C-alpha cells in the first residue's frame, strides 16, 4: 500500500504495508473506486472524493461529489460487496444485511 521513508545518521528505512484480497482496506478501495467509476460513466467531468470505511457489519461512505450524474451509493456498494464474495448471511459482513451509512455532499454542476 503505502511507503514511508526515513533516514538517520547511519541507517535508511523503507516500510510498506500489504493486505490480502478481501481485507477491509481493499474492499473499501474497490467500493470507492466503483462509485467514482459510476459517476464518471454518467458525467466525465465529475469530481468525486468519497472515502469508505468498514467495521464488523457496517460500511460508512463519506465525502463530496460534484457531478451532473446521480449514483445510488448504497446500491453500488452492495453490488461490489456481492461481487467480491461477501454473500453468506450470518458470517459477519455480507452484501445484503450490512448496514450502509452514506453521508456526502452532492453538488450539481451547472448545465
Amino acid at each position: 500500500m503505502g511507503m514511508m521513508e526515513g533516514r538517520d545518521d547511519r541507517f535508511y528505512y523503507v516500510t510498506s504495508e500489504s493486505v490480502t484480497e478481501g481485507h477491509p482496506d481493499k474492499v473499501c478501495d474497490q467500493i470507492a473506486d466503483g462509485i467514482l467509476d459510476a459517476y464518471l460513466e454518467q458525467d466525465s467531468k465529475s469530481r468525486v472524493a468519497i472515502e469508505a470505511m468498514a467495521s464488523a457489519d457496517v460500511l460508512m461512505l463519506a465525502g463530496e461529489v460534484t457531478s451532473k450524474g446521480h449514483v445510488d451509493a448504497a446500491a453500488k456498494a452492495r453490488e461490489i460487496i456481492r461481487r467480491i464474495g461477501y454473500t453468506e448471511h450470518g458470517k459477519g459482513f455480507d452484501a445484503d444485511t450490512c448496514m450502509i451509512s452514506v453521508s456526502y455532499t452532492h453538488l450539481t454542476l451547472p448545465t
Side-chain angles (χ1 to χ4, degrees):
M1 283 280 233
M3 294 287 279
M4 185 175 84
E5 298 178 3
R7 187 183 292 260
D8 70 15
D9 292 345
R10 300 172 309 180
F11 300 100
Y12 181 72
Y13 302 98
V14 176
T15 63
S16 66
E17 174 187 54
S18 178
V19 296
T20 60
E21 183 178 29
H23 186 280
D25 285 348
K26 286 197 184 244
V27 172
C28 288
D29 287 346
Q30 289 181 56
I31 291 168
D33 289 349
I35 292 169
L36 167 64
D37 291 345
Y39 273 104
L40 291 174
E41 285 175 8
Q42 295 179 30
D43 175 8
S44 64
K45 294 183 181 180
S46 294
R47 292 178 293 183
V48 179
I50 295 286
E51 293 292 331
M53 178 178 67
S55 176
D57 204 25
V58 176
L59 173 69
M60 298 173 64
L61 302 170
E64 182 176 287
V65 173
T66 303
S67 178
K68 293 178 187 174
H70 176 75
V71 173
D72 182 338
K76 185 54 131 174
R78 288 187 195 285
E79 172 189 320
I80 293 165
I81 295 165
R82 194 173 292 107
R83 186 181 68 230
I84 291 169
Y86 286 104
T87 57
E88 290 188 50
H89 303 298
K91 296 271 186 172
F93 193 74
D94 81 83
D96 296 320
T97 62
C98 69
M99 184 181 89
I100 299 179
S101 171
V102 179
S103 178
Y104 63 84
T105 304
H106 188 278
L107 305 170
T108 304
L109 291 171
T111 53

